Amino acid sequence: MSAATETHGHAGHGHDAHHDEGFIKKYLWSTDHKMIGFQYLFTGILMAVIGGFTVYAFRMQQAFPGTHIPGFGRVTATDYNALVTTHGSVMVFWVAMPVLIAALGNYLIPLMIGCDDMVFPRLNRLSYQIFLLSSVVLVASFFVEGGAFGGAWTSYPPLSAKAEYSLTGTGSSLWLTAVALEFAAFLMGGINFVTTVMNSRAPGMRMFDVPMVVWMIVIASILFMASVGPLVAGAIMLLFDQQLGTGFFDPAKGGDPILWQHLFWFFGHPEVYVVLLPAMGIVAEIITVFSRKKLFGYKTVLYTAIGTGVLSFFVWAHHQFVAGIDPRMANVFSVTTLLISIPVAEMIFVYIGTLYGGSVKLNTPMLWALSFIAEFLLGGVTGIFLGASGADVYFHDTYFVVAHFHYTFFPIAFIGAFAAITYWFPKMFGREMNDTWGKVHFWGTIIPFNGIFIPLFLLGARGDHRRIYDYRHFPDLMKAGMQDLRVFATVCLLVLLAFQVVFLVNLFYSLVRGKKASANPWNANTLEWAAPSPPPHGNFPEGLPNCYRGPYEYSHPDRAEDFWPQHVKGA
Amino acid sequence: MINKYVPSASTFAPDIDNLILLILAIVGFWFLLAEFVFFGLILKFKEEPGRKAQYVSGEKPEEKKWVSIPHYATLVFDVIIVVMAVKVWHTVKIEMPDAEKENVANVRIIAQQWAWTFVHPGLDGKLDTEDDIATVDELHVQEGQTYVFELTSRDVLHSFSVPVFRLKQDAIPGRIVKGWFKPTMTGQYDIQCTEICGIGHGIMPARILIESPEKHEAWMKATPPTRSAPIDFIATEQPLEDGKVGALNPATPDAALARNGLNNNGEDTP
């Protein structure tokens, strides 16, 4: 706590007090939760550019196999595997995780519960530094002999375990090291989030007064911490297999390759919910503000989120129906997998119900939040095809899975992040983003997004299997129209990527030139809007706020105004 | 629906197609209904000057029913889907054909980086006999004959996938996985490897040739018996001089690459 109180003391000196901090101290050694949040955010955006470039290269190869790809060159089979592997790992581990959990968790939690900083600010700083190191290790793996790891983001042994199989010995080990480091970083962040929310809430803030996004990040952190242990253990065993020649996953030495799949998916499936829940929280904050409505059943959302979290530990083997596990196990995991559709669907019902009787304002953050619901629904229902064991036999490892996954993950990682950035931008940087350009970016992203993945559903249903650099070796997959669908998806991707430039320009232009924002531009209730925009070191210069009511008291019949901030006393 | 694009050529393929159709009908209905309500509410409650939003907590029983009724409906439809899915799964993966009741032929499938070895039982219908026929990347089966396959891998994970059969099964080194299929129509179709298996993953196609009984017998008679390939993963772990994993047939990794016009780095060779 000492560092936090110390920085709190500084806050009284006002803005100028920070000018004498050197660049390194301010940007690499800061303990301010907001600065650490920004570090995670901008590292995440930078990694998203890498993730976007890789998908550009391999989708171009899919559509126009063997041609010279502008900005990349010829994509060989080796390159193709490295590109899909990098795309998957970067987008999940280095974009979704840092942006949704680490950046927003760090930035929002202390502000939304009304305290001055995280309870362990130095641990927080270390968390980011280790994360940065993990990103450097990952990027370094592109440049070693043999190139980047190409065994898919799931890294199944024996392919990932032996250099003679993968032909990327160093790349595999660096990839694994980067992943393990990254998990260590998020473990520290998770401990911080949970402890801070339990101990540092504003006076008067009961558990059911905590904003939903904070709850969601806390539940996600608990899920993450509970599930990551087996995977870190597995990663170290795999590293031993790679570097020391042990045989944990090598059948010739008494090991079992399927063991890795259990360890990976025991983490990997809760991981989906680790990133889903914060996105769901973001959507809850935004749709309540911009429909001027109380959340339809606060406790329902909270309990279903906890239920989803608990159930998510019992579904992992649905990734392994045809992997050689005892086929009778599939029956159990089919049941649990379909069960999890119930709490997730319930959250969606609640959000739809929240709109009822509201006053819906369709500005950029709201468009993102609403589109999350619209798009995620399709991702959710297509999961039923894969959770049903009998149907999964056909769809497993086809583009149907790819399309389903992206209909869940794109809304989570990108729609969720865009919603959050456009909504909290005035608070974060004290300036407003341009709403018109925001809408241009919105439509320029949503329309091509559907244009990419609907064709992939069709291709998957027609038998296109995953991670194939060139379909010319498969006559049945070169039938009339199939290549056209691949080209169409790629063209849509190019459009989508081009529109991200609009976002980046809007983001950086608004950072410098945007209209100055007031403390509470959206007339929102939660405590972060009680702080100045942007909040100084220590967050609340006029003293830490008290909390008098729940976060979603919009359009209360006893009040003339249609909002009732949590920190405002009395009626 | 799927068989419009991918022929359905095994006894259980129609079951899987019907299951997919059932799920599509159920989730399609709910998806459209949810989207309809969702967009309807957005349009109906768009902000208008002077109109204040309603104050609804969603915690009273008469409000809760709007969530709990769809909740129970989801549960009911989940149960229907699970029952149907497990039934189909049981047919495809759990219940093996009974050799006592019907004529069952055996076939051995060995995957490796990056080729498939298929060991056909020959005229006697039994494996590991003198008349076995081993082929690379070409599986000959007979229409209407029930097959039990034993599947393994020599090196990494692969997955034996025959889209026209709606069949998929991972091949695991050090383990033999059994499964079955019964072709119902003749023709030549793709066999895919659907588990990423290294740089040659994209060049691991094979073909399945489903033949009429007469043609199949003619093929067996015309093809000289080859040495049978026993399943023995330890033997294949002996590295060759170049450090790559050795193989029983000519399709070593390098040969597989070369055959498909790739060099050792996965680049196209002129």
Side-chain angles (χ1 to χ4, degrees), chain B residues 44-61:
Chain B
K44 186 150 188 269
F45 294 104
K46 248 186 110 170
E47 65 170 347
E48 292 158 27
R51 186 175 62 81
K52 198 174 168 184
Q54 297 171 24
Y55 185 78
V56 184
S57 71
E59 314 234 316
K60 293 184 202 136

Side-chain angles (χ1 to χ4, degrees), chain B residues 23-199:
Chain B
I23 300 176
L24 182 68
I26 292 175
V27 304
F29 170 76
W30 282 100
F31 171 72
L32 292 177
L33 183 68
E35 295 280 8
F36 178 77
V37 172
F38 175 69
F39 281 105
L41 289 175
I42 295 175
L43 294 177
K44 186 150 188 269
F45 294 104
K46 248 186 110 170
E47 65 170 347
E48 292 158 27
R51 186 175 62 81
K52 198 174 168 184
Q54 297 171 24
Y55 185 78
V56 184
S57 71
E59 314 234 316
K60 293 184 202 136
E62 71 267 23
E63 294 160 4
K64 265 193 179 160
K65 71 171 187 221
W66 290 103
V67 171
S68 56
I69 291 173
H71 166 107
Y72 290 117
T74 316
L75 182 63
V76 169
F77 284 107
D78 272 356
V79 170
I80 296 172
I81 293 171
V82 164
V83 169
M84 298 310 288
V86 167
K87 239 176 98 181
V88 172
W89 177 260
H90 191 83
T91 313
V92 180
K93 291 284 182 181
I94 298 182
E95 203 174 33
M96 285 291 159
D98 190 345
E100 313 231 311
K101 286 190 192 140
E102 58 182 318
N103 176 20
V104 173
N106 293 300
V107 60
R108 182 172 293 151
I109 305 164
I110 307 165
Q112 69 176 82
Q113 283 184 328
W114 292 283
W116 297 95
T117 306
F118 299 104
V119 187
H120 305 77
L123 285 164
D124 64 356
K126 291 194 185 77
L127 284 173
D128 300 316
T129 51
E130 285 298 308
D131 66 344
D132 285 3
I133 304 166
T135 55
V136 174
D137 290 348
E138 214 177 76
L139 172 61
H140 292 256
V141 294
Q142 179 185 324
E143 183 197 359
Q145 165 74 51
T146 306
Y147 286 88
V148 166
F149 63 82
E150 36 186 69
L151 173 67
T152 193
S153 163
R154 289 212 175 96
D155 36 47
V156 301
L157 300 179
H158 300 274
S159 190
F160 175 70
S161 168
V162 188
V164 291
F165 286 174
R166 315 283 187 269
L167 176 67
K168 194 169 285 146
Q169 179 60 55
D170 283 10
I172 307 159
R175 205 189 284 185
I176 299 160
V177 182
K178 289 200 170 190
W180 74 283
F181 56 83
K182 184 176 180 182
T184 54
M185 60 185 277
T186 58
Q188 296 188 16
Y189 305 102
D190 278 345
I191 293 172
Q192 307 168 339
C193 170
T194 48
E195 188 66 69
I196 190 163
C197 54
I199 63 168

Side-chain angles (χ1 to χ4, degrees), chain A residues 234-445:
Chain A
I236 291 168
M237 285 149 80
L238 189 51
L239 205 56
F240 281 1
D241 274 15
Q242 288 175 352
Q243 294 296 338
L244 306 177
T246 55
F248 293 109
F249 305 116
D250 183 351
K253 293 174 181 161
D256 183 1
I258 307 287
L259 174 63
W260 165 264
Q261 298 180 19
H262 286 296
L263 297 173
F264 183 87
W265 288 116
F266 183 80
F267 162 80
H269 206 84
E271 165 73 10
V272 174
Y273 298 94
V274 168
V275 285
L276 167 66
L277 293 180
M280 285 278 198
I282 292 162
V283 172
E285 301 302 325
I286 295 174
I287 58 169
T288 49
V289 169
F290 295 116
S291 61
R292 316 308 290 167
K293 273 289 302 289
K294 199 177 163 80
L295 191 61
F296 191 92
Y298 176 99
K299 288 183 185 170
T300 313
V301 180
L302 183 55
Y303 295 145
T304 48
I306 294 171
T308 310
V310 172
L311 266 178
S312 73
F313 282 95
F314 301 96
V315 299
W316 80 88
H318 66 216
H319 296 271
Q320 300 161 251
F321 285 155
V322 297
I325 58 173
D326 185 330
R328 287 168 302 179
M329 261 164 78
N331 296 341
V332 180
F333 283 97
S334 256
V335 173
T336 54
T337 303
L338 288 206
L339 270 184
I340 209 167
S341 69
I342 294 170
V344 176
E346 194 148 323
M347 273 193 265
I348 298 285
F349 297 149
V350 165
Y351 289 176
I352 295 176
T354 301
L355 296 173
Y356 181 85
S359 173
V360 178
K361 185 183 174 72
L362 295 177
N363 58 6
T364 310
M366 185 62 160
L367 285 175
W368 285 117
L370 294 173
S371 68
F372 175 90
I373 298 169
E375 303 291 353
F376 184 80
L377 254 172
L378 187 55
V381 298
T382 49
I384 305 278
F385 292 91
L386 305 169
S389 49
D392 183 65
V393 182
Y394 182 62
F395 287 128
H396 184 76
D397 267 327
T398 66
Y399 265 90
F400 191 91
V401 178
V402 176
H404 153 72
F405 174 83
H406 284 85
Y407 259 102
T408 59
F409 221 83
F410 186 89
I412 292 171
F414 289 96
I415 296 182
F418 288 138
I421 292 171
T422 50
Y423 177 63
W424 278 291
F425 190 89
K427 181 54 58 188
M428 288 176 169
F429 304 107
R431 290 177 188 273
E432 289 177 9
M433 276 179 96
N434 185 309
D435 198 56
T436 311
W437 285 110
K439 284 177 180 164
V440 169
H441 170 234
F442 171 79
W443 291 110
T445 304

